[in-house]
Amino acid sequence: MLSLLLKWATNGPLDRILTSLDKSIDNETERQKVAGDVIAKYIATEAETRAAAMQSRVFWCVWALFAAPVGFWLGAICLDSVFLFSGHITDLPPSVKPYATQIIAAVFGSGAGVAGIQSIAAAIRGRR
């Protein structure tokens, strides 16, 4: 009698409860997959848009308008600190400092990234 009661409980209500929980988890997983696909497509679209924008001369001219003065300023600071010219070069204004920091990080970050990738590629080629 007890085994019949346990069999009825596990086959009937418990089975339906566990099945509905499985379906709920599967639905949540599908929602996360869809969200992940949307985010991946958005990132790919943004990368394509940026790559297309970087093909334009206007992009590089505007970028140079900001990067050249920051480069001259950074070079002057480096020369002043190495050769002690006592030029009393002041820091950039607080309104410009975040942009200058971002430009310097982009220039040196991209250069360091490319150099790192090239060294890794050279090491891999040397092994083969």
Side-chain angles (χ1 to χ4, degrees), residues 1-108:
M1 177 73 172
L2 184 61
S3 67
L4 187 63
L5 184 61
L6 285 174
K7 193 179 225 182
W8 174 82
T10 56
N11 285 341
L14 185 62
D15 187 42
R16 281 183 261 149
I17 290 170
L18 292 176
T19 303
S20 67
L21 282 174
D22 285 342
K23 286 181 182 178
S24 173
I25 290 170
D26 288 343
N27 288 339
E28 183 63 31
T29 303
E30 284 299 317
R31 281 190 210 109
Q32 290 176 353
K33 281 182 186 178
V34 168
D37 291 341
V38 168
I39 291 170
K41 287 206 185 248
Y42 174 75
I43 290 171
T45 304
E46 280 295 313
E48 290 172 4
T49 303
R50 287 182 187 214
M54 290 176 70
Q55 298 299 320
S56 171
R57 288 184 184 173
V58 174
F59 171 82
W60 291 109
C61 291
V62 171
W63 189 85
L65 283 174
F66 288 102
V70 170
F72 289 133
W73 170 79
L74 181 64
I77 287 199
C78 290
L79 288 175
D80 186 42
S81 65
V82 170
F83 297 113
L84 303 173
F85 291 138
S86 298
H88 300 294
I89 300 170
T90 61
D91 199 10
L92 290 173
S95 62
V96 178
K97 184 81 171 170
Y99 302 111
T101 304
Q102 196 171 21
I103 289 170
I104 291 169
V107 169
F108 288 111

Side-chain angles (χ1 to χ4, degrees), residues 115-128:
I117 290 171
Q118 286 177 344
S119 65
I120 291 171
I124 290 172
R125 275 193 303 252
R127 289 184 190 170
R128 290 181 183 188

